[in-house]
Amino acid sequence: MTKKIEAIFREEKLDDVKKALYSIGIVGMNVTEVRGHGRQGGITLSGRTGTYQVDFLPRVQLNIILSDHNVEKTINTIQQAAQTGNIGDGLIFVYPVDEVIRIRTGERGHDALAYEGDIDTRQEVAMAGVA
Ligand SMILES: Nc1ncnc2c1ncn2[C@@H]1O[C@H](COP(=O)(O)OP(=O)(O)OP(=O)(O)O)[C@@H](O)[C@H]1O
Ligand SMILES: [Mg+2]
């Protein structure tokens, strides 16, 4: 089964999250800039003319499509790397994915998500070492 991880977190954490993901063998990903708010509904700022409300704050959204046996490790990696402990650190959503097709080759499913040296290839190499 294939899943999509959608992680929304602070822009200044993108570099740390990216490096942490590379270190566990996550290869394919995409990032967009988003603006939003969670349960506090934005922030109130004070200026010279008084206070004003900012409803939507900038965050990054990182998307990764991957096999479901890699989801927990990837979520934990993102959470640790993106966390400051303050409100507004973000959220991680996980969705089911019906199909993946690599346009160049027509490969589908797991084959379309396999990369040289990725998280699964590393596990296969580790298993071969044990046998
Ligand atoms: N229910 C939601 N659906 C979609 N996006 C959301 C949702 N809640 C938050 N977001 C996105 O996540 C960003 C960060 O949310 P935030 O970390 O403030 O969540 P929270 O639930 O309020 O947690 P905290 O109490 O730690 O602030 C928001 O700016 C918004 O882009
Ligand atoms: Mg919040």
Side-chain angles (χ1 to χ4, degrees):
M1 286 292 287
T2 305
K3 292 278 166 62
K4 173 182 176 181
I5 295 176
E6 179 184 303
I8 298 175
F9 54 87
R10 298 179 195 280
E11 296 172 306
E12 61 268 29
K13 287 291 189 179
L14 181 58
D15 208 46
D16 289 346
V17 171
K18 181 190 73 180
K19 285 179 185 150
L21 289 170
Y22 290 170
S23 79
I24 63 162
I26 296 295
V27 178
M29 63 186 73
N30 72 71
V31 183
T32 53
E33 291 172 20
V34 297
R35 294 192 310 139
H37 66 73
R39 57 188 167 179
Q40 290 85 9
I43 52 169
T44 306
L45 296 174
S46 329
R48 269 178 304 166
T49 53
T51 63
Y52 60 100
Q53 174 71 13
V54 180
D55 290 331
F56 296 105
L57 300 167
R59 291 288 183 272
V60 293
Q61 178 181 315
L62 175 74
N63 299 309
I64 305 169
I65 316 301
L66 74 180
S67 299
D68 58 4
H69 60 262
N70 293 322
V71 166
E72 273 307 313
K73 186 172 188 180
T74 305
I75 288 171
N76 292 338
T77 300
I78 295 170
Q79 195 202 341
Q80 280 165 25
Q83 191 177 66
T84 69
N86 300 314
I87 59 168
D89 271 356
L91 291 165
I92 301 173
F93 307 107
V94 181
Y95 308 87
V97 171
D98 285 340
E99 188 55 287
V100 185
I101 301 103
R102 177 174 278 131
I103 291 178
R104 177 172 60 86
T105 57
E107 292 163 288
R108 287 177 171 248
H110 180 76
D111 290 344
L113 291 172
Y115 306 99
E116 212 168 295
D118 72 4
I119 190 166
D120 283 328
T121 320
R122 289 182 194 188
Q123 272 157 17
E124 282 158 24
V125 169
M127 300 276 274
V130 170

